[in-house]
Each structure stands twice: as structure tokens, then as C-alpha cells.
Amino acid sequence: MPVPLLKEAQVPQVLDVHAVRAWCALALEALGRDREEIDAINVYPVADGDTGTNLYLTVESAVQAVEAVFAGNEPARPALPDVVRAMAHGALIGARGNSGTILAQLLRGMAQVLAGDAGGEADHSGSADANSLCRALRRAAESAREAVAHPVEGTVLTVASAAADAAAVVGERDGDCGAVARAAYDGACVALDATPGQLAVLGRAGVVDAGGRGLVTVLGALTQALSGAPVMPVAGRGAQHARVVAEPELGCADGEGPAFEVIYLLEADDAAVARLRTRLDGLGDSLVVVGGDGLWNVHVHVDDAGAAVEAGVEAGRPYRIRITHFAAGDAHAGAGPTGERAQRAIVAVVPGEGLAGLYGDAGATVVPERPGEAPGSGELVEAIRRAHAREVVLLPNDAELRHTAAAAAEQARTEGVRVALIPTRSAVQGIAALAVHEPERRFDEDVVAMTSAAGATRYGELAVAERQSWTMAGICQAGDVLGLIEGDVAVIGAEVAETARTTLDRMLSAGGEMVTLVLGDTVPDEVAERLERHVRETYLAVDTVVYRGGRNSALMLIGVE
């Protein structure tokens, strides 16, 4: 769903929840626009040409978290502390690379002030004033420096500090939030232009710091969200040809630095993380540990990736472990695909372990959809790479993932993969598409057949209402069983079997030859038996097939072909 941006007449001069939402959306849009340029000037700390992409993926995760808070509070407006904490948490769990990890800590530092978690109190008026924004920018710069084991000037840390300094000058004159954000942006631009003179590797390449360039883009989005006026584009600041990232003298990719980048999320207490910092600092460089309150994002460059992961195991529970060999791309905690590419593959987003097994048995590369945590475009791109095929059919199986899937498909195309995106809105539509998939057919013919099968499948879902709400079928109460058809609530009931039967009848009223039921873990087999018997006795020549969705699946998915 497109994020509603602020119109100029509605622009707040205070930082409220709508301004935060607009800021995140504008930052994602701007980073998407500037990503390739930022990638091209990425020479420090490693010349691997991915800073812009990593920043984009980090902000994308923040946007998803913010949107989830708004959706969870409809029709009411969420509180500012909840929104900024979600922004910071989303960035933390989605942070990619050195630059994304530092950006996540910058956002966390801001959120600590704006939510009242940094020694002050949250502003319960629903907005933050200029003074709060100044303090937030200062805390962001300080916390980012604290997270980096060995801070270096001429990097994003320098740019963040300059932004906070410039904002403080305006804040002392009682400027509004728009003026403070503009001052921070201008200060960041000046500092960015000075980075080649502070860091020799940048001076030799004739470029500005890529991470700092990305932060300037994010601050420009903040300025636009608060003032309504887009800032002057920063394109061209120190940008050179993309060839600079491959020159061996520029960064650690010359064989003299560590061979691997290791990133993982870690559940651990503060004392264990302090010991982990010391241990990892002795193993490699570019160490950044961000987060807090029991959840951390760990980033380090090492030669012994196993030792870095083992250190995390000793400290707590590491997960989402990502290992990248600087000379060979993503190792994904193991060897990547090798050998000849397959001609064609299916990549599908799937909710539930049972359905994941079903899709896997059909030959698809599966991206699990975790409850309340939709996969980002980066995860989809990784799955496409893992499929290791010349042609890929992508099944998002969720209407909310259409833009994410489109971005992933576009990225994969730039890597030479032919990708067709079939806009499946439910896993049952994906099942229908898989059923007619024939890899021996010409690619276009196969895509047309799969698209047609998916489009001919009406989809429904059963869910439990979390709170009282207005729906297309009337007012529901917390605990009611909801029957959704094509995404809209059509039935409100008190019991799963009866609500499912009514929903199924509504769907079959337009005809159908095949019913697909996917049952969640909590739905007993007898419910499926009752529904099968109902279809058999009420509708002639309509077959029913039942699958178990497994853990993390929806209460029930219904498909009618």
C-alpha cells in the first residue's frame, strides 16, 4: 500500500507521527533513486560497491515496521513513541552492511530521545519540538560513535556529528523543526564535501564517503517531510565512475584486509555484549555493535568467520547469520550455488512450515513469511540468487508484497536473471500457479499459464479479530472469527467451522470446480472433514483438497478455482 505523504499545505513544523511516516517513505524513495550512485562511490571500509543497496534495505525494513504500527492502530493514530521505536527496531533487525548498521544506530539514538528513553520523558502532546529534534540528532551522532569500535573521521560519523552541530545552532535560536532539519542537512552536506580531505582512500579515489552520502539523502528526506519542499539533489557530490570500487588499492578488497563480512542478530544481555565486543575486536576490524534492551545487530570483518559466529553463540543466541566473502559475494553462512545454472526456477514467499514443505516438494525456492514480519526485497533477491537459474518466476503470495517483489525482480534483472513476477495475493493462488507449471514450456507460455491459473483462483482466509473494529460486514469484537474474501471481511462469526462454511458458501456462489483448504496448527482435523462433507453434499462435481499449513501459518486459507 503506498504510504500517504504530506501535502505542502499540511506540512507540520513539529515532528509528529505523520511526519515520521512521511520521512521514512521519502527516505526509501530517495535511496532507491540514489542507490546506484552511492554504490559506485563505495570505497571504504571495503570497496564492495553495496553501500547504497544496504542503506536502502535497512530503511525498507524501518518503513515496514512503521507501517505495521499504523495498521495495528487503525482507525486511531499511534503514539509518537511507538512509531519511532518501531522505526528504530525495523532498521535494527533489517540492517545490512557496515553502513546500514550505523544508520540503524543513528535512528535508534533519535528514537531514544523522541520516545523519552534517553533520560527524559516522551512528549505526550503527540509531537516533538525543535529542541527535541536537536537533542535527538545529537544523541544519534553520539550513539553511532559509541557503537563503532574504532571511529574514523571522514566517514558517516563525521557527517552525523556535523549535522547535529548545525542543528544545535538553529535550535538555540528557537527555530521550528523544519528549520532544524534544514540546518542539519546543510551541515551534513558541507561535512560530506570535506570527507576526501580527511580520509586518504577517499582522496585517492576522488569521491566522498558513501555512507555519509547516504545519510545526507536521509536528512534531505527529513527536511522535505517537515518543510514540504524537496531539497536540492545531492547527485554528483564526489561521484566518479563505478570503476573506482574495483581498484585494489582503495579498500580491504585488495587481499590485505579480512576476507569475510559477518552479520547477525543477537539476543544477549549487556555484560555478554561487552565481552563480545572485546572478543570480536581481536578477530578483525570494522566492528559495529548496535542495539540494546536484549537485541543487538553485530557486524564485523574477519578472516575466521566461524570464530565470529562462535563468539556470538558464547554471548547469547545469534540468528539471521549472514556471511559474505568479499571476493565471492554472499556465502549465506555456507557455500553459495555453484556450477551450471538451471534453466528455470520458482521463488515463492510462503507462510507456514507445512506450506513451505509443499512448495519445496514442488521444486520452489521458499522465502518464509514470519508472523508480523514480511520479508524485504533483499531476502527475495537472495532467494533468486539461491535458485541459481537463468529464468525465475516470482510468487509473492501477498498483496502487500507487490512493491517489495517488484523491487527484488528489478534488482535481479540487473544481475542478468530473467524474472517474471506473477502478482499472487495468497498462497492458494501460488498453489494453483505451481500446479500448471511446466518447465519444458517456453518461458512466456509458462508464465501466462501460471498467471491465468492464479487469477482464476478466488482466495479467502480466516483470522481472529484482535480488537473491536468496523468492517465491511459490520462491527467485530476482539476474539471474533473473521472470514475474509479477496482481502475484505465478508463474514463475522463466533466459531471456526461455521465461519469457514459460510465463507466457503459465499465463494462457491460464483461457481467453482476445486476447493483448496490450508489449515493452521490450531484447527482440528474434524473441521476439515465437516467442510469436505459439506462441499460434497451441497455442490456437485466440486473436489476438495486439504493441506496443513504448519507453524506460523494463517488460521485457514481457502482457495476456489
Side-chain angles (χ1 to χ4, degrees):
M1 181 182 299
V3 179
L5 302 182
L6 299 173
K7 297 181 180 178
E8 198 157 346
Q10 301 172 321
V11 171
Q13 292 304 308
V14 292
L15 188 63
D16 64 7
V17 294
H18 297 297
V20 173
R21 189 186 200 187
W23 173 30
C24 291
L26 287 166
L28 185 64
E29 178 185 339
L31 286 169
R33 185 175 59 245
D34 297 347
R35 177 183 61 80
E36 291 184 0
E37 179 193 321
I38 298 172
D39 282 346
I41 63 172
N42 173 202
V43 300
Y44 182 85
V46 175
D48 51 355
D50 63 358
T51 291
T53 299
N54 287 338
L55 290 170
Y56 177 88
L57 295 173
T58 301
V59 172
E60 180 184 53
S61 183
V63 168
Q64 291 174 347
V66 168
E67 287 305 300
V69 171
F70 272 87
N73 280 271
E74 289 179 349
R77 184 177 76 168
L80 180 62
D82 293 337
V83 173
V84 294
R85 286 178 188 134
M87 173 186 70
H89 180 74
L92 174 68
I93 64 174
R96 299 286 291 272
N98 187 73
S99 55
T101 307
I102 292 174
L103 178 61
Q105 189 69 356
L106 288 165
L107 296 178
R108 177 178 171 82
M110 293 189 69
Q112 286 176 326
V113 172
L114 299 175
D117 298 335
E121 292 187 3
D123 187 339
H124 296 290
S125 67
S127 62
D129 59 15
N131 179 263
S132 294
L133 180 55
C134 287
R135 289 190 295 110
L137 290 166
R138 175 63 63 200
R139 178 59 189 150
E142 292 172 349
S143 62
R145 282 185 178 272
E146 293 166 2
V148 177
H150 302 285
V152 175
E153 297 306 324
T155 65
V156 62
L157 301 177
T158 306
V159 176
S161 294
D165 291 342
V169 172
V170 172
E172 290 173 357
R173 300 198 299 262
D174 296 323
D176 59 34
C177 281
V180 168
R182 180 72 209 204
Y185 172 77
D186 290 340
C189 287
V190 172
L192 178 66
D193 285 339
T195 56
Q198 296 173 294
L199 198 54
V201 66
L202 302 178
R204 289 198 300 270
V207 297
V208 297
D209 179 65
R213 170 67 175 79
L215 178 58
V216 165
T217 297
V218 172
L219 290 173
L222 176 62
T223 303
Q224 182 177 353
L226 290 168
S227 69
V231 298
M232 292 294 291
V234 294
R237 287 185 179 270
Q240 301 293 318
H241 298 298
R243 62 175 174 80
V244 300
V245 303
E247 295 181 6
E249 70 203 28
L250 298 180
C252 296
D254 57 3
E256 297 179 3
F260 296 98
E261 177 185 61
V262 178
I263 304 175
Y264 49 79
L265 292 178
L266 177 70
E267 293 178 356
D269 60 33
D270 291 3
V273 169
R275 294 191 296 270
L276 176 66
R277 288 179 192 269
T278 302
R279 172 85 181 276
L280 292 179
D281 196 26
L283 289 176
D285 59 30
S286 297
L287 173 60
V288 184
V289 181
V290 305
D293 302 319
L295 179 63
W296 308 82
N297 191 308
V298 179
H299 169 281
V300 67
H301 295 171
V302 294
D303 282 320
D304 189 344
V309 175
E310 184 178 314
V313 173
E314 292 176 0
R317 187 178 79 87
Y319 59 103
R320 288 205 198 174
I321 300 168
R322 179 182 172 85
I323 300 172
T324 302
H325 191 294
F326 289 125
D330 183 14
H332 203 69
T338 58
E340 183 67 21
R341 287 180 178 270
Q343 181 60 34
R344 189 173 308 160
I346 308 296
V347 172
V349 179
V350 182
E353 295 176 357
L355 276 182
L358 175 67
Y359 273 75
D361 290 343
T365 297
V366 171
V367 179
E369 184 173 17
R370 297 168 289 273
E373 189 180 326
S377 61
E379 288 184 73
L380 300 187
V381 172
E382 288 172 14
I384 292 172
R385 291 170 182 157
R386 200 165 64 246
H388 202 51
R390 298 182 183 89
E391 302 167 339
V392 170
V393 179
L394 181 57
L395 305 174
N397 290 340
D398 188 334
E400 297 299 320
L401 287 178
R402 60 190 185 280
H403 297 303
T404 300
E410 189 61 34
Q411 173 63 31
R413 291 180 188 120
T414 67
E415 299 177 8
V417 182
R418 188 181 185 189
V419 182
L421 170 61
I422 297 179
T424 48
R425 294 169 289 177
S426 171
V428 291
Q429 289 189 321
I431 292 172
L434 273 177
V436 299
H437 167 54
E438 292 184 13
E440 295 78 17
R441 272 194 299 229
R442 289 179 55 247
F443 185 63
D444 291 340
E445 293 176 353
D446 199 27
V447 171
V448 167
M450 294 176 72
T451 302
S452 178
T457 302
R458 297 186 295 282
Y459 65 96
E461 178 179 348
L462 259 60
V464 177
E466 297 180 355
R467 61 187 180 280
Q468 184 184 64
S469 182
W470 290 88
T471 75
M472 296 288 290
I475 300 175
C476 69
Q477 305 295 329
D480 283 347
V481 180
L482 308 179
L484 293 85
I485 300 176
E486 307 284 326
D488 291 324
V489 177
V491 180
I492 300 174
E495 190 261 336
V496 170
E498 186 60 26
T499 306
R501 186 193 64 76
T502 305
T503 303
L504 188 53
D505 284 342
R506 296 271 185 96
M507 296 176 70
L508 284 169
S509 65
E513 299 175 354
M514 169 74 76
V515 170
T516 300
L517 301 176
V518 180
L519 308 184
D521 261 358
T522 61
V523 179
D525 291 337
E526 65 185 50
V527 171
E529 294 168 0
R530 288 172 58 184
L531 292 174
E532 283 187 276
R533 185 166 57 252
H534 174 70
V535 171
R536 186 170 56 250
E537 294 174 353
T538 309
Y539 303 95
L540 296 177
V542 176
D543 295 323
T544 303
V545 60
V546 179
Y547 302 108
R548 275 288 177 184
R551 193 163 60 93
N552 295 335
S553 66
L555 182 61
M556 185 183 297
L557 298 177
I558 304 173
V560 173
E561 303 174 47

